[in-house]
């Protein structure tokens, strides 16, 4: 990746996308497709030695990844009261679910009361043993 910033910390999720563009959990965990792994970036936590967790979400992440480096994608962020419609669309696409976060809240690691995780009950991941 070519980027002006040499030091940064990103919160994201490793994914392998299937031919349909949907993440394939089993392919990721099989370790047979490691060369296809991409990072879906959710937040930037630090850059250039500065802690960014208290700043507005996504702004710095979008700037950092504006050149669209190979292997890293900024996870889409939708604004407004669209949760139910977005969740129904995610289920129709066969996605595992959604996590909703308040854009103006500071970043905190781990589960937060301001984050809402909604799972697609018909997704195969609901039957997966960890």
């Amino acid at each position: 990746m070519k980027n002006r910033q040499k030091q940064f910390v990103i919160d994201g999720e490793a994914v392998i996308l299937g031919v349909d563009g949907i993440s394939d959990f089993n392919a990721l965990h099989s370790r047979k497709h490691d060369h296809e792994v991409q990072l879906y970036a959710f937040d930037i936590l630090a850059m250039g030695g500065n802690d960014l967790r208290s700043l507005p979400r996504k702004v710095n992440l979008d700037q950092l990844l504006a050149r669209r480096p190979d292997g890293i994608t900024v996870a889409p962020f939708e604004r407004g009261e669209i949760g139910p419609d977005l969740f129904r669309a995610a289920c129709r696409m066969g996605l595992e679910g959604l996590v909703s976060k308040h854009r103006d809240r500071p970043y905190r690691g781990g589960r937060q009361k301001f984050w809402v995780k909604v799972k697609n009950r018909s997704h195969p991941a609901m039957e997966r043993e960890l």
Side-chain angles (χ1 to χ4, degrees):
M1 170 171 101
K2 293 182 180 179
N3 199 301
R4 290 185 182 159
Q5 291 293 328
K6 300 298 181 203
Q7 297 179 340
F8 50 89
V9 178
I10 294 176
D11 176 22
E13 183 170 343
V15 298
I16 292 179
L17 298 179
V19 294
D20 55 4
I22 295 173
S23 62
D24 184 338
F25 183 86
N26 292 328
L28 179 68
H29 285 273
S30 75
R31 302 296 309 263
K32 295 177 182 177
H33 308 278
D34 284 356
H35 62 284
E36 297 177 39
V37 173
Q38 299 180 44
L39 178 69
Y40 263 47
F42 303 130
D43 288 296
I44 183 165
L45 310 182
M47 184 166 49
N50 298 313
D51 185 344
L52 304 178
R53 293 175 292 179
S54 64
L55 298 178
R57 302 163 51 80
K58 297 285 187 185
V59 175
N60 289 300
L61 182 63
D62 288 338
Q63 290 172 357
L64 176 70
L65 301 177
R67 292 179 151 190
R68 298 180 181 206
D70 288 340
I72 301 177
T73 301
V74 176
F77 183 85
E78 301 292 337
R79 294 178 189 220
E81 301 292 327
I82 62 168
D85 291 335
L86 190 60
F87 178 68
R88 283 189 286 278
C91 290
R92 284 193 301 274
M93 291 174 62
L95 300 178
E96 187 174 341
L98 298 174
V99 176
S100 297
K101 302 176 183 180
H102 288 270
R103 180 180 180 90
D104 297 326
R105 294 275 182 192
Y107 181 91
R108 300 282 186 261
R111 295 181 189 259
Q112 300 296 313
K113 66 180 179 178
F114 300 110
W115 295 7
V116 178
K117 186 174 188 175
V118 190
K119 293 186 177 187
N120 176 358
R121 299 283 178 213
S122 63
H123 191 274
M126 294 303 295
E127 299 173 14
R128 183 181 318 130
E129 290 185 32
L130 298 176

